[in-house]
Structures are given as C-alpha cells and as structure tokens.
Amino acid sequence: MPFEFENLGMGIVLIKPKVFPDKRGFFLEVFKSEDFTKAEIPNIVQVNMSSSLKGVVRGLHYQITPKEQGKLVFVPKGKILDVAVDLRKSSPTFGKYVKVELNDENHYILWIPPGFAHGFQALEDSIVVYFLTHNEYSKSHERCVNYSYVDWPIKEFIISDKDLQCSPLEKAEVFK
C-alpha cells in the first residue's frame, strides 16, 4: 500500500503517502480509491484549490447536514498549519481541535471527516492547497466559526471580510 494511515483521534486521519524520489524529482499518489475506502474515507466528488500569501487565515469553514463535507487536504506547494475543530455537540471532544503542519516536503494529506470546521494559516508566501471533498459545495449549507477560536502561529492575520463575520463557537450552528 502506498499510504500509511495514522489516526490522530476524533476520526481525523493523517495520511503519509509513499514518495518515490529520483534524480528528476519525485512521484507520489495523492488518492487511491481502493486504499482510502479500506481506511473508511469516502470517495471524492469535488476538488478545490486555493493559493494564499503568508499569514492568510482561511476558515473555519464547514457545511451542515445534509450537505456536510469530509475533506482531504493536500499542500503541493508551501507550508500551512491546518486545523480541524470538532463541532459534534454529542462528542466528548466537542470544541477541541487538531493542528497539523502540511507542506511540500512531508507531502502529508489530512482527512477531516464531516462534523468538523476546517481552516488553515499560510506559513509562507504563495502556498497552494487542494481540498478534495466527498460532498459538493452548497452555499445554502455553508457555515463558519470565527478564526479567533484557534491560536494561530503568525499573529498578523490576513482575513477575508466574510471570515471576519463568522460566529463564535458558542453561537455557531453545530452537529448533533
């Protein structure tokens, strides 16, 4: 299997692909349906990409039922601090979050299951992030938690006007 799946708790999985380097560079598989299905990660139906400057915080975004999204997050260029916040009210880890550095050197992929808000901070300029989701985007189901819920490493934030308007966790629409 070209992947190592490491359970980080709360259903979040760090995926470490096998990298095949040679004098030309390297090769790796980012997604393989059979392997991911065995790891209980659903098939992907949509792929999104973003690019950001150092300090940018995007998130904390999620979609409510019935359009909730699980996300695979992969960084082919640059370095980010990726964050997943548990929004499952009945979970013993409700409100807790996991932080993982994803970058173009470790090639890690993070699986964030439905029921979590997701966000990241760009730790250097010109980063590129891919989000592979198991459910399509739905504007009417989109929600967010205010970025200030997380202690970000770079304190000079660049935040969209939209993300500045996100509710604090206490007022956010969450999962059962």
Side-chain angles (χ1 to χ4, degrees), residues 1-3 5 29 32-41:
M1 199 180 295
F3 303 97
F5 296 90
E29 293 179 0
K32 190 171 186 180
S33 182
E34 182 179 349
D35 292 354
F36 281 59
T37 298
K38 286 178 187 174
E40 300 181 10
I41 297 172

Side-chain angles (χ1 to χ4, degrees), residues 15-35:
I15 303 157
K16 300 175 181 178
K18 184 169 183 171
V19 181
F20 300 93
D22 65 22
K23 64 183 177 183
R24 302 166 296 168
F26 67 89
F27 172 85
L28 64 87
E29 293 179 0
V30 174
F31 179 82
K32 190 171 186 180
S33 182
E34 182 179 349
D35 292 354

Side-chain angles (χ1 to χ4, degrees), residues 77-97:
K77 182 180 179 210
K79 179 170 47 172
I80 68 169
L81 181 68
D82 206 58
V83 176
V85 181
D86 189 349
L87 298 182
R88 302 167 300 170
K89 191 71 170 172
S90 61
S91 170
T93 56
F94 175 76
K96 299 214 181 306
Y97 57 88

Side-chain angles (χ1 to χ4, degrees), residues 35-163:
D35 292 354
F36 281 59
T37 298
K38 286 178 187 174
E40 300 181 10
I41 297 172
N43 273 325
I44 300 306
V45 299
Q46 184 172 327
V47 178
N48 305 313
M49 184 187 96
S50 73
S51 178
S52 300
L53 301 173
K54 184 176 183 177
V56 166
V57 171
R58 293 184 186 262
L60 302 157
H61 303 141
Y62 61 103
Q63 288 187 185
I64 57 168
T65 306
K67 294 293 187 177
E68 66 274 15
Q69 287 184 321
K71 294 180 183 178
L72 285 168
V73 184
F74 177 67
V75 179
K77 182 180 179 210
K79 179 170 47 172
I80 68 169
L81 181 68
D82 206 58
V83 176
V85 181
D86 189 349
L87 298 182
R88 302 167 300 170
K89 191 71 170 172
S90 61
S91 170
T93 56
F94 175 76
K96 299 214 181 306
Y97 57 88
V98 171
K99 299 193 290 189
V100 177
E101 185 177 300
L102 303 177
N103 62 56
D104 58 11
E105 291 180 14
N106 65 26
H107 306 290
Y108 294 166
I109 303 163
L110 192 64
W111 166 247
I112 303 167
F116 287 77
H118 171 255
F120 69 87
Q121 185 173 48
L123 301 178
E124 53 190 45
D125 276 330
S126 302
I127 60 103
V128 174
V129 180
Y130 280 93
F131 311 91
L132 296 78
T133 64
H134 94 292
N135 211 346
E136 292 180 2
Y137 172 73
S138 172
K139 185 175 180 66
S140 64
H141 295 88
E142 181 182 30
R143 302 292 187 273
C144 59
V145 171
N146 194 277
Y147 71 94
S148 64
Y149 189 72
V150 172
D151 181 23
W152 302 102
I154 299 173
K155 302 305 180 199
E156 294 182 24
F157 308 117
I158 304 170
I159 310 225
S160 72
D161 290 340
K162 179 180 172 183
D163 286 353

